[in-house]
PDB file of all heavy atoms in Angstrom:
ATOM      1  N   ASN A 789     -51.201   8.572   7.732  1.00  0.00           N
ATOM      2  CA  ASN A 789     -52.233   8.932   8.703  1.00  0.00           C
ATOM      3  C   ASN A 789     -51.610   9.278  10.053  1.00  0.00           C
ATOM      4  O   ASN A 789     -52.052  10.202  10.722  1.00  0.00           O
ATOM      5  CB  ASN A 789     -53.222   7.781   8.880  1.00  0.00           C
ATOM      6  CG  ASN A 789     -54.166   7.682   7.702  1.00  0.00           C
ATOM      7  OD1 ASN A 789     -54.245   8.594   6.884  1.00  0.00           O
ATOM      8  ND2 ASN A 789     -54.866   6.560   7.594  1.00  0.00           N
ATOM      9  N   ASN A 790     -50.576   8.520  10.436  1.00  0.00           N
ATOM     10  CA  ASN A 790     -49.889   8.765  11.698  1.00  0.00           C
ATOM     11  C   ASN A 790     -49.347  10.177  11.779  1.00  0.00           C
ATOM     12  O   ASN A 790     -49.366  10.808  12.824  1.00  0.00           O
ATOM     13  CB  ASN A 790     -48.716   7.788  11.850  1.00  0.00           C
ATOM     14  CG  ASN A 790     -49.063   6.669  12.792  1.00  0.00           C
ATOM     15  OD1 ASN A 790     -50.092   6.735  13.461  1.00  0.00           O
ATOM     16  ND2 ASN A 790     -48.229   5.650  12.843  1.00  0.00           N
ATOM     17  N   PHE A 791     -48.836  10.653  10.634  1.00  0.00           N
ATOM     18  CA  PHE A 791     -48.272  11.998  10.624  1.00  0.00           C
ATOM     19  C   PHE A 791     -49.310  13.053  10.265  1.00  0.00           C
ATOM     20  O   PHE A 791     -48.984  14.225  10.100  1.00  0.00           O
ATOM     21  CB  PHE A 791     -47.112  12.073   9.627  1.00  0.00           C
ATOM     22  CG  PHE A 791     -45.881  11.340  10.109  1.00  0.00           C
ATOM     23  CD1 PHE A 791     -45.547  10.105   9.594  1.00  0.00           C
ATOM     24  CD2 PHE A 791     -45.081  11.893  11.100  1.00  0.00           C
ATOM     25  CE1 PHE A 791     -44.441   9.424  10.046  1.00  0.00           C
ATOM     26  CE2 PHE A 791     -43.961  11.212  11.557  1.00  0.00           C
ATOM     27  CZ  PHE A 791     -43.640   9.975  11.032  1.00  0.00           C
ATOM     28  N   GLY A 792     -50.570  12.615  10.078  1.00  0.00           N
ATOM     29  CA  GLY A 792     -51.634  13.564   9.758  1.00  0.00           C
ATOM     30  C   GLY A 792     -51.539  14.133   8.358  1.00  0.00           C
ATOM     31  O   GLY A 792     -51.999  15.240   8.100  1.00  0.00           O
ATOM     32  N   ILE A 793     -50.889  13.401   7.455  1.00  0.00           N
ATOM     33  CA  ILE A 793     -50.786  13.910   6.086  1.00  0.00           C
ATOM     34  C   ILE A 793     -51.426  12.923   5.118  1.00  0.00           C
ATOM     35  O   ILE A 793     -50.903  12.655   4.041  1.00  0.00           O
ATOM     36  CB  ILE A 793     -49.323  14.208   5.678  1.00  0.00           C
ATOM     37  CG1 ILE A 793     -48.410  13.055   6.082  1.00  0.00           C
ATOM     38  CG2 ILE A 793     -48.845  15.507   6.269  1.00  0.00           C
ATOM     39  CD1 ILE A 793     -47.002  13.164   5.546  1.00  0.00           C
ATOM     40  N   GLY A 794     -52.580  12.385   5.526  1.00  0.00           N
ATOM     41  CA  GLY A 794     -53.288  11.408   4.697  1.00  0.00           C
ATOM     42  C   GLY A 794     -53.669  11.963   3.332  1.00  0.00           C
ATOM     43  O   GLY A 794     -53.845  11.217   2.379  1.00  0.00           O
ATOM     44  N   TYR A 795     -53.758  13.306   3.248  1.00  0.00           N
ATOM     45  CA  TYR A 795     -54.170  13.913   1.971  1.00  0.00           C
ATOM     46  C   TYR A 795     -53.110  13.782   0.882  1.00  0.00           C
ATOM     47  O   TYR A 795     -53.378  14.044  -0.277  1.00  0.00           O
ATOM     48  CB  TYR A 795     -54.545  15.376   2.181  1.00  0.00           C
ATOM     49  CG  TYR A 795     -53.448  16.225   2.763  1.00  0.00           C
ATOM     50  CD1 TYR A 795     -52.489  16.780   1.940  1.00  0.00           C
ATOM     51  CD2 TYR A 795     -53.360  16.458   4.141  1.00  0.00           C
ATOM     52  CE1 TYR A 795     -51.468  17.548   2.467  1.00  0.00           C
ATOM     53  CE2 TYR A 795     -52.346  17.215   4.671  1.00  0.00           C
ATOM     54  CZ  TYR A 795     -51.398  17.766   3.834  1.00  0.00           C
ATOM     55  OH  TYR A 795     -50.369  18.505   4.353  1.00  0.00           O
ATOM     56  N   LEU A 796     -51.899  13.399   1.245  1.00  0.00           N
ATOM     57  CA  LEU A 796     -50.851  13.222   0.229  1.00  0.00           C
ATOM     58  C   LEU A 796     -50.998  11.890  -0.501  1.00  0.00           C
ATOM     59  O   LEU A 796     -50.187  11.547  -1.355  1.00  0.00           O
ATOM     60  CB  LEU A 796     -49.455  13.310   0.857  1.00  0.00           C
ATOM     61  CG  LEU A 796     -49.019  14.708   1.284  1.00  0.00           C
ATOM     62  CD1 LEU A 796     -47.644  14.667   1.897  1.00  0.00           C
ATOM     63  CD2 LEU A 796     -49.027  15.652   0.099  1.00  0.00           C
ATOM     64  N   GLN A 797     -52.044  11.142  -0.126  1.00  0.00           N
ATOM     65  CA  GLN A 797     -52.326   9.827  -0.690  1.00  0.00           C
ATOM     66  C   GLN A 797     -52.105   9.741  -2.199  1.00  0.00           C
ATOM     67  O   GLN A 797     -51.335   8.897  -2.675  1.00  0.00           O
ATOM     68  CB  GLN A 797     -53.785   9.517  -0.368  1.00  0.00           C
ATOM     69  CG  GLN A 797     -54.210   8.115  -0.677  1.00  0.00           C
ATOM     70  CD  GLN A 797     -55.728   8.020  -0.582  1.00  0.00           C
ATOM     71  OE1 GLN A 797     -56.455   8.806  -1.156  1.00  0.00           O
ATOM     72  NE2 GLN A 797     -56.202   7.041   0.168  1.00  0.00           N
ATOM     73  N   THR A 798     -52.752  10.639  -2.943  1.00  0.00           N
ATOM     74  CA  THR A 798     -52.709  10.534  -4.403  1.00  0.00           C
ATOM     75  C   THR A 798     -51.275  10.599  -4.923  1.00  0.00           C
ATOM     76  O   THR A 798     -50.843   9.757  -5.709  1.00  0.00           O
ATOM     77  CB  THR A 798     -53.529  11.675  -5.028  1.00  0.00           C
ATOM     78  OG1 THR A 798     -54.746  11.778  -4.321  1.00  0.00           O
ATOM     79  CG2 THR A 798     -53.794  11.411  -6.482  1.00  0.00           C
ATOM     80  N   ILE A 799     -50.528  11.610  -4.472  1.00  0.00           N
ATOM     81  CA  ILE A 799     -49.161  11.798  -4.954  1.00  0.00           C
ATOM     82  C   ILE A 799     -48.293  10.602  -4.578  1.00  0.00           C
ATOM     83  O   ILE A 799     -47.557  10.061  -5.405  1.00  0.00           O
ATOM     84  CB  ILE A 799     -48.545  13.088  -4.360  1.00  0.00           C
ATOM     85  CG1 ILE A 799     -49.423  14.280  -4.679  1.00  0.00           C
ATOM     86  CG2 ILE A 799     -47.135  13.302  -4.855  1.00  0.00           C
ATOM     87  CD1 ILE A 799     -48.914  15.584  -4.143  1.00  0.00           C
ATOM     88  N   VAL A 800     -48.399  10.207  -3.300  1.00  0.00           N
ATOM     89  CA  VAL A 800     -47.524   9.139  -2.810  1.00  0.00           C
ATOM     90  C   VAL A 800     -47.829   7.826  -3.504  1.00  0.00           C
ATOM     91  O   VAL A 800     -46.931   7.130  -3.976  1.00  0.00           O
ATOM     92  CB  VAL A 800     -47.661   9.007  -1.281  1.00  0.00           C
ATOM     93  CG1 VAL A 800     -46.904   7.799  -0.784  1.00  0.00           C
ATOM     94  CG2 VAL A 800     -47.170  10.267  -0.592  1.00  0.00           C
ATOM     95  N   PHE A 801     -49.135   7.496  -3.607  1.00  0.00           N
ATOM     96  CA  PHE A 801     -49.516   6.207  -4.188  1.00  0.00           C
ATOM     97  C   PHE A 801     -49.021   6.062  -5.620  1.00  0.00           C
ATOM     98  O   PHE A 801     -48.458   5.037  -5.989  1.00  0.00           O
ATOM     99  CB  PHE A 801     -51.038   6.026  -4.140  1.00  0.00           C
ATOM    100  CG  PHE A 801     -51.555   5.539  -2.811  1.00  0.00           C
ATOM    101  CD1 PHE A 801     -50.798   5.684  -1.665  1.00  0.00           C
ATOM    102  CD2 PHE A 801     -52.789   4.930  -2.712  1.00  0.00           C
ATOM    103  CE1 PHE A 801     -51.263   5.246  -0.442  1.00  0.00           C
ATOM    104  CE2 PHE A 801     -53.270   4.477  -1.498  1.00  0.00           C
ATOM    105  CZ  PHE A 801     -52.510   4.639  -0.366  1.00  0.00           C
ATOM    106  N   ILE A 802     -49.244   7.096  -6.422  1.00  0.00           N
ATOM    107  CA  ILE A 802     -48.892   6.941  -7.841  1.00  0.00           C
ATOM    108  C   ILE A 802     -47.389   6.784  -7.995  1.00  0.00           C
ATOM    109  O   ILE A 802     -46.917   5.983  -8.808  1.00  0.00           O
ATOM    110  CB  ILE A 802     -49.461   8.105  -8.704  1.00  0.00           C
ATOM    111  CG1 ILE A 802     -49.248   7.857 -10.198  1.00  0.00           C
ATOM    112  CG2 ILE A 802     -48.871   9.442  -8.345  1.00  0.00           C
ATOM    113  CD1 ILE A 802     -50.101   6.802 -10.785  1.00  0.00           C
ATOM    114  N   LEU A 803     -46.622   7.495  -7.170  1.00  0.00           N
ATOM    115  CA  LEU A 803     -45.167   7.357  -7.258  1.00  0.00           C
ATOM    116  C   LEU A 803     -44.711   5.990  -6.774  1.00  0.00           C
ATOM    117  O   LEU A 803     -43.833   5.367  -7.383  1.00  0.00           O
ATOM    118  CB  LEU A 803     -44.474   8.457  -6.449  1.00  0.00           C
ATOM    119  CG  LEU A 803     -44.494   9.827  -7.109  1.00  0.00           C
ATOM    120  CD1 LEU A 803     -43.824  10.843  -6.220  1.00  0.00           C
ATOM    121  CD2 LEU A 803     -43.811   9.782  -8.460  1.00  0.00           C
ATOM    122  N   VAL A 804     -45.324   5.540  -5.673  1.00  0.00           N
ATOM    123  CA  VAL A 804     -44.944   4.222  -5.149  1.00  0.00           C
ATOM    124  C   VAL A 804     -45.253   3.145  -6.182  1.00  0.00           C
ATOM    125  O   VAL A 804     -44.427   2.264  -6.450  1.00  0.00           O
ATOM    126  CB  VAL A 804     -45.677   3.932  -3.819  1.00  0.00           C
ATOM    127  CG1 VAL A 804     -45.537   2.472  -3.425  1.00  0.00           C
ATOM    128  CG2 VAL A 804     -45.139   4.819  -2.722  1.00  0.00           C
ATOM    129  N   ILE A 805     -46.428   3.237  -6.802  1.00  0.00           N
ATOM    130  CA  ILE A 805     -46.793   2.214  -7.786  1.00  0.00           C
ATOM    131  C   ILE A 805     -45.840   2.253  -8.971  1.00  0.00           C
ATOM    132  O   ILE A 805     -45.348   1.214  -9.417  1.00  0.00           O
ATOM    133  CB  ILE A 805     -48.261   2.413  -8.251  1.00  0.00           C
ATOM    134  CG1 ILE A 805     -49.212   2.148  -7.087  1.00  0.00           C
ATOM    135  CG2 ILE A 805     -48.585   1.474  -9.396  1.00  0.00           C
ATOM    136  CD1 ILE A 805     -50.640   2.552  -7.366  1.00  0.00           C
ATOM    137  N   ALA A 806     -45.545   3.477  -9.459  1.00  0.00           N
ATOM    138  CA  ALA A 806     -44.660   3.590 -10.612  1.00  0.00           C
ATOM    139  C   ALA A 806     -43.278   3.002 -10.303  1.00  0.00           C
ATOM    140  O   ALA A 806     -42.723   2.223 -11.087  1.00  0.00           O
ATOM    141  CB  ALA A 806     -44.536   5.046 -11.037  1.00  0.00           C
ATOM    142  N   ALA A 807     -42.743   3.361  -9.126  1.00  0.00           N
ATOM    143  CA  ALA A 807     -41.419   2.871  -8.751  1.00  0.00           C
ATOM    144  C   ALA A 807     -41.438   1.366  -8.554  1.00  0.00           C
ATOM    145  O   ALA A 807     -40.541   0.643  -8.995  1.00  0.00           O
ATOM    146  CB  ALA A 807     -40.957   3.564  -7.469  1.00  0.00           C
ATOM    147  N   LEU A 808     -42.507   0.885  -7.897  1.00  0.00           N
ATOM    148  CA  LEU A 808     -42.636  -0.544  -7.619  1.00  0.00           C
ATOM    149  C   LEU A 808     -42.653  -1.361  -8.904  1.00  0.00           C
ATOM    150  O   LEU A 808     -41.958  -2.371  -9.023  1.00  0.00           O
ATOM    151  CB  LEU A 808     -43.930  -0.769  -6.835  1.00  0.00           C
ATOM    152  CG  LEU A 808     -44.170  -2.177  -6.317  1.00  0.00           C
ATOM    153  CD1 LEU A 808     -43.357  -2.395  -5.066  1.00  0.00           C
ATOM    154  CD2 LEU A 808     -45.636  -2.401  -6.026  1.00  0.00           C
ATOM    155  N   VAL A 809     -43.439  -0.881  -9.878  1.00  0.00           N
ATOM    156  CA  VAL A 809     -43.558  -1.635 -11.124  1.00  0.00           C
ATOM    157  C   VAL A 809     -42.206  -1.707 -11.829  1.00  0.00           C
ATOM    158  O   VAL A 809     -41.783  -2.767 -12.295  1.00  0.00           O
ATOM    159  CB  VAL A 809     -44.635  -1.018 -12.038  1.00  0.00           C
ATOM    160  CG1 VAL A 809     -44.616  -1.674 -13.401  1.00  0.00           C
ATOM    161  CG2 VAL A 809     -46.001  -1.171 -11.418  1.00  0.00           C
ATOM    162  N   GLN A 810     -41.501  -0.569 -11.857  1.00  0.00           N
ATOM    163  CA  GLN A 810     -40.172  -0.558 -12.478  1.00  0.00           C
ATOM    164  C   GLN A 810     -39.238  -1.540 -11.779  1.00  0.00           C
ATOM    165  O   GLN A 810     -38.527  -2.315 -12.411  1.00  0.00           O
ATOM    166  CB  GLN A 810     -39.550   0.848 -12.374  1.00  0.00           C
ATOM    167  CG  GLN A 810     -40.131   1.849 -13.335  1.00  0.00           C
ATOM    168  CD  GLN A 810     -39.789   1.516 -14.765  1.00  0.00           C
ATOM    169  OE1 GLN A 810     -38.723   0.988 -15.030  1.00  0.00           O
ATOM    170  NE2 GLN A 810     -40.696   1.785 -15.680  1.00  0.00           N
ATOM    171  N   PHE A 811     -39.277  -1.476 -10.439  1.00  0.00           N
ATOM    172  CA  PHE A 811     -38.389  -2.298  -9.642  1.00  0.00           C
ATOM    173  C   PHE A 811     -38.693  -3.780  -9.841  1.00  0.00           C
ATOM    174  O   PHE A 811     -37.792  -4.596 -10.040  1.00  0.00           O
ATOM    175  CB  PHE A 811     -38.525  -1.910  -8.167  1.00  0.00           C
ATOM    176  CG  PHE A 811     -37.613  -2.675  -7.266  1.00  0.00           C
ATOM    177  CD1 PHE A 811     -36.249  -2.416  -7.259  1.00  0.00           C
ATOM    178  CD2 PHE A 811     -38.113  -3.653  -6.427  1.00  0.00           C
ATOM    179  CE1 PHE A 811     -35.408  -3.128  -6.436  1.00  0.00           C
ATOM    180  CE2 PHE A 811     -37.269  -4.376  -5.605  1.00  0.00           C
ATOM    181  CZ  PHE A 811     -35.914  -4.112  -5.609  1.00  0.00           C
ATOM    182  N   VAL A 812     -39.989  -4.103  -9.823  1.00  0.00           N
ATOM    183  CA  VAL A 812     -40.389  -5.505  -9.992  1.00  0.00           C
ATOM    184  C   VAL A 812     -39.949  -6.008 -11.362  1.00  0.00           C
ATOM    185  O   VAL A 812     -39.471  -7.142 -11.496  1.00  0.00           O
ATOM    186  CB  VAL A 812     -41.910  -5.658  -9.812  1.00  0.00           C
ATOM    187  CG1 VAL A 812     -42.391  -7.005 -10.312  1.00  0.00           C
ATOM    188  CG2 VAL A 812     -42.285  -5.473  -8.367  1.00  0.00           C
ATOM    189  N   GLU A 813     -40.078  -5.142 -12.354  1.00  0.00           N
ATOM    190  CA  GLU A 813     -39.685  -5.566 -13.694  1.00  0.00           C
ATOM    191  C   GLU A 813     -38.201  -5.913 -13.744  1.00  0.00           C
ATOM    192  O   GLU A 813     -37.796  -6.932 -14.284  1.00  0.00           O
ATOM    193  CB  GLU A 813     -40.019  -4.480 -14.709  1.00  0.00           C
ATOM    194  CG  GLU A 813     -40.213  -5.061 -16.091  1.00  0.00           C
ATOM    195  CD  GLU A 813     -39.736  -4.162 -17.190  1.00  0.00           C
ATOM    196  OE1 GLU A 813     -39.628  -2.942 -16.962  1.00  0.00           O
ATOM    197  OE2 GLU A 813     -39.442  -4.683 -18.272  1.00  0.00           O
ATOM    198  N   MET A 814     -37.390  -5.040 -13.116  1.00  0.00           N
ATOM    199  CA  MET A 814     -35.943  -5.296 -13.108  1.00  0.00           C
ATOM    200  C   MET A 814     -35.613  -6.564 -12.331  1.00  0.00           C
ATOM    201  O   MET A 814     -34.795  -7.372 -12.753  1.00  0.00           O
ATOM    202  CB  MET A 814     -35.214  -4.094 -12.498  1.00  0.00           C
ATOM    203  CG  MET A 814     -35.166  -2.907 -13.427  1.00  0.00           C
ATOM    204  SD  MET A 814     -34.081  -1.620 -12.834  1.00  0.00           S
ATOM    205  CE  MET A 814     -35.087  -0.833 -11.612  1.00  0.00           C
ATOM    206  N   ALA A 815     -36.299  -6.716 -11.157  1.00  0.00           N
ATOM    207  CA  ALA A 815     -36.016  -7.876 -10.318  1.00  0.00           C
ATOM    208  C   ALA A 815     -36.381  -9.168 -11.036  1.00  0.00           C
ATOM    209  O   ALA A 815     -35.629 -10.153 -11.007  1.00  0.00           O
ATOM    210  CB  ALA A 815     -36.786  -7.758  -8.998  1.00  0.00           C
ATOM    211  N   LEU A 816     -37.542  -9.159 -11.705  1.00  0.00           N
ATOM    212  CA  LEU A 816     -37.971 -10.361 -12.416  1.00  0.00           C
ATOM    213  C   LEU A 816     -36.985 -10.710 -13.526  1.00  0.00           C
ATOM    214  O   LEU A 816     -36.638 -11.881 -13.726  1.00  0.00           O
ATOM    215  CB  LEU A 816     -39.354 -10.154 -13.030  1.00  0.00           C
ATOM    216  CG  LEU A 816     -40.565 -10.284 -12.122  1.00  0.00           C
ATOM    217  CD1 LEU A 816     -41.830 -10.152 -12.941  1.00  0.00           C
ATOM    218  CD2 LEU A 816     -40.561 -11.605 -11.392  1.00  0.00           C
ATOM    219  N   LYS A 817     -36.524  -9.667 -14.212  1.00  0.00           N
ATOM    220  CA  LYS A 817     -35.615  -9.879 -15.336  1.00  0.00           C
ATOM    221  C   LYS A 817     -34.342 -10.565 -14.863  1.00  0.00           C
ATOM    222  O   LYS A 817     -33.803 -11.450 -15.512  1.00  0.00           O
ATOM    223  CB  LYS A 817     -35.281  -8.522 -15.950  1.00  0.00           C
ATOM    224  CG  LYS A 817     -34.831  -8.591 -17.385  1.00  0.00           C
ATOM    225  CD  LYS A 817     -34.734  -7.185 -17.918  1.00  0.00           C
ATOM    226  CE  LYS A 817     -34.460  -7.170 -19.409  1.00  0.00           C
ATOM    227  NZ  LYS A 817     -34.502  -5.799 -19.927  1.00  0.00           N
ATOM    228  N   LYS A 818     -33.888 -10.134 -13.663  1.00  0.00           N
ATOM    229  CA  LYS A 818     -32.630 -10.654 -13.137  1.00  0.00           C
ATOM    230  C   LYS A 818     -32.809 -12.039 -12.537  1.00  0.00           C
ATOM    231  O   LYS A 818     -32.013 -12.934 -12.787  1.00  0.00           O
ATOM    232  CB  LYS A 818     -32.109  -9.680 -12.072  1.00  0.00           C
ATOM    233  CG  LYS A 818     -30.806 -10.073 -11.417  1.00  0.00           C
ATOM    234  CD  LYS A 818     -29.644  -9.356 -12.073  1.00  0.00           C
ATOM    235  CE  LYS A 818     -28.353  -9.553 -11.311  1.00  0.00           C
ATOM    236  NZ  LYS A 818     -27.775 -10.874 -11.463  1.00  0.00           N
ATOM    237  N   PHE A 819     -33.875 -12.224 -11.725  1.00  0.00           N
ATOM    238  CA  PHE A 819     -33.958 -13.435 -10.912  1.00  0.00           C
ATOM    239  C   PHE A 819     -34.890 -14.505 -11.476  1.00  0.00           C
ATOM    240  O   PHE A 819     -34.626 -15.693 -11.304  1.00  0.00           O
ATOM    241  CB  PHE A 819     -34.370 -13.081  -9.477  1.00  0.00           C
ATOM    242  CG  PHE A 819     -33.392 -12.174  -8.800  1.00  0.00           C
ATOM    243  CD1 PHE A 819     -33.735 -10.881  -8.453  1.00  0.00           C
ATOM    244  CD2 PHE A 819     -32.098 -12.615  -8.537  1.00  0.00           C
ATOM    245  CE1 PHE A 819     -32.819 -10.048  -7.836  1.00  0.00           C
ATOM    246  CE2 PHE A 819     -31.179 -11.778  -7.928  1.00  0.00           C
ATOM    247  CZ  PHE A 819     -31.536 -10.491  -7.585  1.00  0.00           C
ATOM    248  N   ILE A 820     -36.010 -14.110 -12.081  1.00  0.00           N
ATOM    249  CA  ILE A 820     -36.936 -15.138 -12.606  1.00  0.00           C
ATOM    250  C   ILE A 820     -37.196 -14.832 -14.078  1.00  0.00           C
ATOM    251  O   ILE A 820     -38.276 -14.371 -14.436  1.00  0.00           O
ATOM    252  CB  ILE A 820     -38.268 -15.156 -11.824  1.00  0.00           C
ATOM    253  CG1 ILE A 820     -38.032 -14.885 -10.338  1.00  0.00           C
ATOM    254  CG2 ILE A 820     -38.962 -16.513 -12.003  1.00  0.00           C
ATOM    255  CD1 ILE A 820     -39.300 -14.754  -9.538  1.00  0.00           C
ATOM    256  N   PRO A 821     -36.220 -15.076 -14.944  1.00  0.00           N
ATOM    257  CA  PRO A 821     -36.377 -14.692 -16.357  1.00  0.00           C
ATOM    258  C   PRO A 821     -37.603 -15.333 -17.018  1.00  0.00           C
ATOM    259  O   PRO A 821     -38.223 -14.709 -17.887  1.00  0.00           O
ATOM    260  CB  PRO A 821     -35.094 -15.197 -17.016  1.00  0.00           C
ATOM    261  CG  PRO A 821     -34.167 -15.512 -15.917  1.00  0.00           C
ATOM    262  CD  PRO A 821     -34.946 -15.738 -14.678  1.00  0.00           C
ATOM    263  N   SER A 822     -37.976 -16.552 -16.590  1.00  0.00           N
ATOM    264  CA  SER A 822     -39.109 -17.198 -17.255  1.00  0.00           C
ATOM    265  C   SER A 822     -40.407 -16.442 -16.988  1.00  0.00           C
ATOM    266  O   SER A 822     -41.225 -16.247 -17.885  1.00  0.00           O
ATOM    267  CB  SER A 822     -39.238 -18.647 -16.783  1.00  0.00           C
ATOM    268  OG  SER A 822     -39.366 -18.683 -15.386  1.00  0.00           O
ATOM    269  N   LEU A 823     -40.564 -15.992 -15.730  1.00  0.00           N
ATOM    270  CA  LEU A 823     -41.752 -15.218 -15.386  1.00  0.00           C
ATOM    271  C   LEU A 823     -41.710 -13.862 -16.092  1.00  0.00           C
ATOM    272  O   LEU A 823     -42.739 -13.355 -16.565  1.00  0.00           O
ATOM    273  CB  LEU A 823     -41.839 -15.024 -13.866  1.00  0.00           C
ATOM    274  CG  LEU A 823     -43.155 -14.461 -13.335  1.00  0.00           C
ATOM    275  CD1 LEU A 823     -44.313 -15.365 -13.679  1.00  0.00           C
ATOM    276  CD2 LEU A 823     -43.089 -14.255 -11.828  1.00  0.00           C
ATOM    277  N   HIS A 824     -40.496 -13.301 -16.180  1.00  0.00           N
ATOM    278  CA  HIS A 824     -40.364 -12.010 -16.856  1.00  0.00           C
ATOM    279  C   HIS A 824     -40.754 -12.121 -18.311  1.00  0.00           C
ATOM    280  O   HIS A 824     -41.358 -11.218 -18.886  1.00  0.00           O
ATOM    281  CB  HIS A 824     -38.931 -11.486 -16.734  1.00  0.00           C
ATOM    282  CG  HIS A 824     -38.725 -10.163 -17.394  1.00  0.00           C
ATOM    283  ND1 HIS A 824     -38.154 -10.034 -18.631  1.00  0.00           N
ATOM    284  CD2 HIS A 824     -39.058  -8.916 -16.997  1.00  0.00           C
ATOM    285  CE1 HIS A 824     -38.145  -8.761 -18.971  1.00  0.00           C
ATOM    286  NE2 HIS A 824     -38.670  -8.065 -17.994  1.00  0.00           N
ATOM    287  N   LYS A 825     -40.417 -13.259 -18.889  1.00  0.00           N
ATOM    288  CA  LYS A 825     -40.753 -13.452 -20.302  1.00  0.00           C
ATOM    289  C   LYS A 825     -42.264 -13.492 -20.499  1.00  0.00           C
ATOM    290  O   LYS A 825     -42.791 -12.987 -21.482  1.00  0.00           O
ATOM    291  CB  LYS A 825     -40.122 -14.765 -20.800  1.00  0.00           C
ATOM    292  CG  LYS A 825     -39.606 -14.643 -22.220  1.00  0.00           C
ATOM    293  CD  LYS A 825     -38.959 -15.927 -22.685  1.00  0.00           C
ATOM    294  CE  LYS A 825     -38.946 -15.957 -24.194  1.00  0.00           C
ATOM    295  NZ  LYS A 825     -38.779 -17.314 -24.705  1.00  0.00           N
ATOM    296  N   ALA A 826     -42.943 -14.093 -19.511  1.00  0.00           N
ATOM    297  CA  ALA A 826     -44.395 -14.217 -19.645  1.00  0.00           C
ATOM    298  C   ALA A 826     -45.123 -12.914 -19.319  1.00  0.00           C
ATOM    299  O   ALA A 826     -46.092 -12.553 -19.971  1.00  0.00           O
ATOM    300  CB  ALA A 826     -44.894 -15.345 -18.752  1.00  0.00           C
ATOM    301  N   LEU A 827     -44.666 -12.219 -18.277  1.00  0.00           N
ATOM    302  CA  LEU A 827     -45.415 -11.051 -17.803  1.00  0.00           C
ATOM    303  C   LEU A 827     -44.740  -9.726 -18.118  1.00  0.00           C
ATOM    304  O   LEU A 827     -45.379  -8.683 -18.145  1.00  0.00           O
ATOM    305  CB  LEU A 827     -45.618 -11.121 -16.280  1.00  0.00           C
ATOM    306  CG  LEU A 827     -46.391 -12.300 -15.725  1.00  0.00           C
ATOM    307  CD1 LEU A 827     -46.575 -12.123 -14.230  1.00  0.00           C
ATOM    308  CD2 LEU A 827     -47.742 -12.425 -16.389  1.00  0.00           C
ATOM    309  N   GLY A 828     -43.417  -9.776 -18.336  1.00  0.00           N
ATOM    310  CA  GLY A 828     -42.617  -8.552 -18.407  1.00  0.00           C
ATOM    311  C   GLY A 828     -43.148  -7.503 -19.354  1.00  0.00           C
ATOM    312  O   GLY A 828     -43.188  -6.320 -19.018  1.00  0.00           O
ATOM    313  N   VAL A 829     -43.609  -7.938 -20.521  1.00  0.00           N
ATOM    314  CA  VAL A 829     -44.037  -6.959 -21.513  1.00  0.00           C
ATOM    315  C   VAL A 829     -45.227  -6.148 -21.033  1.00  0.00           C
ATOM    316  O   VAL A 829     -45.428  -5.020 -21.465  1.00  0.00           O
ATOM    317  CB  VAL A 829     -44.390  -7.627 -22.851  1.00  0.00           C
ATOM    318  CG1 VAL A 829     -43.158  -8.203 -23.499  1.00  0.00           C
ATOM    319  CG2 VAL A 829     -45.459  -8.678 -22.704  1.00  0.00           C
TER     320      VAL A 829
END
Side-chain angles (χ1 to χ4, degrees):
Chain A
N789 285 347
N790 258 350
F791 288 103
I793 46 171
Y795 58 84
L796 288 179
Q797 189 191 50
T798 315
I799 304 180
V800 173
F801 278 20
I802 187 72
L803 285 178
V804 168
I805 294 170
L808 186 79
V809 172
Q810 285 293 327
F811 182 73
V812 166
E813 205 215 338
M814 286 190 281
L816 280 184
K817 203 172 187 174
K818 180 97 171 74
F819 299 114
I820 323 174
S822 57
L823 191 60
H824 180 260
K825 218 179 158 200
L827 299 185
V829 293

